[in-house]
Amino acid sequence: AVLLKKLCDTQALILSEGLVFKYDLSSGKTKKILQYKAREDFVYVTNSNPFLFVYQKQLQSFDSELTHLHPISSLPPADNFFSATTTNNQTIFIGSTNGIKIYVHRKAKNDSTFSMRINNVLADKKGYVWIGTWTNGLYRCKYDEANERWSEIIHLPKFPDEHIRSLFEDKNGSILAGTRYNGVVKILEKDAHYFDYSLWNQQTGLS
């Protein structure tokens, strides 16, 4: 099961084996919201409100009662969609097998800057977009919506593992990257262009 979103102090939205359901943390009761085919991509757009999802190769939105999904836009073709995020609920970044798809100004398009397999995308509290690739390391950048282009692109130097598998921002605003071969990497920003890394792996006790 995957925690998609905590709805309030007592309820959470959970994804598990082709089901999306509400879970009551106090009573343990569940309420089915949606059932989908297990082999279909179903991706929550992090930071979205109202909740947005990538489903059936479309960007879709739940209604306020979490009863129905409503299509917003078709997406450019991809074999699989892995991750999605937004900085403002207007511009959506979607990682896929063949790069990033961007929904901006009510249209979805292919991005030409990052055309490799993008496993993870994460918009942080500072407005940066973190881009985790399958084999090409980790990037941090900003997106200029008015001109529909990237700026401040940094390919994090000397990153401990170029195979990024997950991204997470903790309550303090620190970014943690799960990697294939080197455990979890906490990214420590010294200044705008210098980063240090703290590792949790088997050598440091992570099992």
Side-chain angles (χ1 to χ4, degrees):
V2 177
L3 172 65
L4 293 179
K5 184 75 174 180
K6 192 173 181 181
L7 303 174
C8 60
D9 289 340
T10 59
Q11 287 190 331
L13 198 63
I14 305 290
L15 174 68
S16 178
E17 297 181 354
L19 289 174
V20 180
F21 59 90
K22 280 184 183 179
Y23 179 73
D24 191 296
L25 302 173
S26 57
S27 68
K29 293 182 178 179
T30 62
K31 179 182 179 182
K32 186 177 75 172
I33 302 297
L34 176 74
Q35 185 168 3
Y36 65 96
K37 294 179 181 178
R39 292 185 179 181
E40 287 188 300
D41 295 327
F42 189 88
V43 179
Y44 167 58
V45 179
T46 61
N47 304 324
S48 60
N49 186 22
F51 299 136
L52 300 174
F53 293 87
V54 174
Y55 178 51
Q56 294 180 333
K57 303 187 184 301
Q58 296 177 313
L59 181 65
Q60 303 201 35
S61 173
F62 260 127
D63 58 26
S64 59
E65 300 299 320
L66 293 179
T67 54
H68 296 93
L69 279 170
H70 303 283
I72 296 173
S73 173
S74 296
L75 297 174
D79 290 337
N80 293 101
F81 298 101
F82 302 115
S83 177
T85 192
T86 179
T87 51
N88 57 10
N89 231 60
Q90 301 297 318
T91 302
I92 317 297
F93 307 95
I94 304 161
S96 77
T97 44
N98 58 331
I100 289 184
K101 317 298 181 183
I102 302 177
Y103 176 80
V104 59
H105 299 144
R106 299 186 178 184
K107 292 182 180 179
K109 65 176 188 175
N110 285 309
D111 172 66
S112 59
T113 303
F114 300 100
S115 58
M116 68 286 278
R117 175 170 171 169
I118 305 297
N119 227 47
N120 305 96
V121 287
L122 173 69
D124 70 15
K125 297 180 178 68
K126 298 177 183 177
Y128 289 106
V129 180
W130 296 79
I131 299 171
T133 72
W134 190 247
T135 57
N136 298 92
L138 180 63
Y139 292 81
R140 191 191 75 173
C141 42
K142 285 195 173 180
Y143 190 73
D144 180 348
E145 295 177 22
N147 296 300
E148 297 187 12
R149 64 186 182 187
W150 296 102
S151 64
E152 301 181 40
I153 299 174
I154 296 175
H155 186 203
L156 267 69
K158 299 180 181 179
F159 202 71
D161 191 336
E162 297 288 277
H163 307 79
I164 312 302
R165 296 297 182 264
S166 61
L167 291 171
F168 177 75
E169 182 179 18
D170 69 16
K171 63 180 181 180
N172 298 317
S174 298
I175 303 300
L176 296 97
T179 69
R180 182 176 183 183
Y181 298 113
N182 219 340
V184 177
V185 182
K186 184 175 183 179
I187 300 162
L188 309 172
E189 184 177 1
K190 300 299 184 180
D191 59 43
H193 297 283
Y194 177 71
F195 301 87
D196 201 0
Y197 311 114
S198 178
L199 301 180
W200 290 291
N201 52 31
Q202 289 182 331
Q203 286 71 38
T204 59
L206 183 69
S207 58

